[in-house]
Amino acid sequence: MSETERDMGEINVSSRDLGRLLADSTGTPVRPYQEAFAELADTYRGKPVPEILPLLRRAADEALLGFTDADLREQAEAIRSGARYALRVRVT
């Protein structure tokens, strides 16, 4: 892994909850987190981390992902600095 590439916070998902992450229970399509992250990365590169954090939290909540505050701070720092991230999801 290069200096500019890091892993986003790894999340563990129970296999019984996996369906909830893949489809919204109301039938409304859920915006994929990676799409939201990429858009934020394009728009907010170089911006302060505190400005990026609430936007990441909203995107994670909408995608039903349980990132910790530390995970989101790392992601916000990557956006600020322009570092590339790769998300890992572990199904348990």
Side-chain angles (χ1 to χ4, degrees), residues 26-87:
T26 64
T28 305
V30 176
R31 182 175 184 203
Y33 184 75
Q34 186 60 38
E35 179 183 313
F37 182 89
E39 184 178 299
L40 290 171
D42 288 342
T43 306
Y44 287 87
R45 183 177 184 173
K47 302 284 185 185
V49 167
E51 187 175 331
I52 301 167
L53 277 171
L55 303 172
L56 284 173
R57 170 55 67 203
R58 185 177 325 129
D61 289 349
E62 287 174 0
L64 306 174
L65 295 172
F67 287 119
T68 66
D69 290 337
D71 291 335
L72 292 174
R73 185 165 293 283
E74 286 178 12
Q75 293 174 42
E77 179 57 38
I79 288 172
R80 185 201 62 75
S81 67
R84 194 174 117 199
Y85 255 52
L87 174 62

